[in-house]
Amino acid sequence: MNYRKKTLEEIPEENTPVWSCTSESCKGWMRDNFAFDYTPVCPLCSSAMEKGMRMLPQLVNTNLDQKSLSKGVKIDR
């Protein structure tokens, strides 16, 4: 009765540059090619971030130069 069980495809991974939060209590991180700044701050806790590498599934960012875009207008609450 396992006819519904599908075999999972192998997702290709690659060594990807990322930014990781330096705060001990925060686990925030982001891919470098999705960051808007050359040296971003953590969006969760506003701490500094450090550059590193992680093995992550491949993603394609169609916008080649994300950092040159304007960030928009910040809305204060």
Side-chain angles (χ1 to χ4, degrees):
M1 295 297 276
N2 284 338
Y3 59 89
R4 290 187 182 180
K5 195 172 195 175
K6 296 181 182 179
T7 59
L8 298 176
E9 291 183 27
E10 183 74 25
I11 298 174
E13 291 187 344
E14 63 185 354
N15 212 6
T16 308
V18 296
W19 288 97
S20 300
C21 184
T22 57
S23 175
E24 293 286 329
S25 61
C26 182
K27 296 184 184 217
W29 64 275
M30 69 178 84
R31 292 175 185 252
D32 182 49
N33 63 344
F34 285 92
F36 286 108
D37 292 325
Y38 290 102
T39 54
V41 295
C42 181
L44 302 174
C45 67
S46 300
S47 295
M49 298 186 90
E50 63 184 10
K51 199 164 191 168
M53 300 293 277
R54 286 189 184 194
M55 286 298 288
L56 298 172
Q58 291 177 347
L59 282 181
V60 178
N61 187 356
T62 57
N63 189 351
L64 298 176
D65 196 10
Q66 188 83 8
K67 293 171 181 65
S68 69
L69 297 175
S70 62
K71 295 184 210 175
V73 178
K74 186 173 183 177
I75 300 173
D76 294 325
R77 291 184 187 198

